[in-house]
Coordinates of all heavy atoms in Angstrom, one line a residue:
K62 N 0.9 -10.1 12.9 CA 0.4 -8.8 13.3 C -1.0 -8.7 12.9 O -1.4 -9.2 11.8 CB 1.2 -7.6 12.7 CG 1.1 -7.5 11.2 CD 1.7 -6.3 10.7 CE 0.6 -5.2 10.5 NZ 1.1 -4.0 9.9
M63 N -1.8 -8.0 13.7 CA -3.1 -7.6 13.3 C -3.1 -6.1 12.9 O -2.2 -5.4 13.5 CB -4.1 -7.8 14.5 CG -4.5 -9.3 14.7 SD -5.4 -10.0 13.3 CE -7.1 -9.3 13.7
E107 N 3.6 3.7 14.8 CA 2.4 3.6 15.6 C 2.6 2.8 16.9 O 3.4 1.9 16.9 CB 1.2 3.0 14.8 CG 1.6 1.7 14.1 CD 0.5 1.3 13.1 OE1 -0.2 2.1 12.5 OE2 0.4 0.0 12.8
E109 N 1.8 0.2 19.8 CA 1.1 -1.1 19.8 C 1.4 -1.8 21.1 O 2.3 -1.4 21.9 CB 1.7 -2.0 18.7 CG 1.5 -1.4 17.3 CD 0.7 -2.3 16.4 OE1 0.2 -3.4 16.8 OE2 0.5 -1.8 15.2
E139 N 5.4 0.0 16.0 CA 5.4 -0.7 14.7 C 5.7 0.3 13.6 O 5.1 1.4 13.6 CB 4.1 -1.4 14.4 CG 4.4 -2.2 13.1 CD 3.2 -2.9 12.4 OE1 2.1 -2.5 12.7 OE2 3.5 -3.7 11.5
I141 N 5.5 1.0 9.8 CA 4.8 0.5 8.6 C 5.2 1.4 7.4 O 5.5 2.5 7.5 CB 3.2 0.5 8.7 CG1 2.7 1.9 9.2 CG2 2.7 -0.5 9.7 CD1 1.2 2.1 9.2
G232 N -2.3 -4.6 17.0 CA -2.9 -3.5 16.2 C -2.7 -2.2 16.9 O -2.8 -2.1 18.1
A233 N -2.6 -1.1 16.1 CA -2.3 0.2 16.7 C -3.6 0.7 17.3 O -4.7 0.5 16.9 CB -1.9 1.2 15.6
Ligands
LIG2 MG1 0.2 -1.9 13.2

Side-chain angles (χ1 to χ4, degrees):
K62 65 169 266 185
M63 285 293 280
E107 50 192 25
E109 301 238 1
E139 191 192 12
I141 52 172

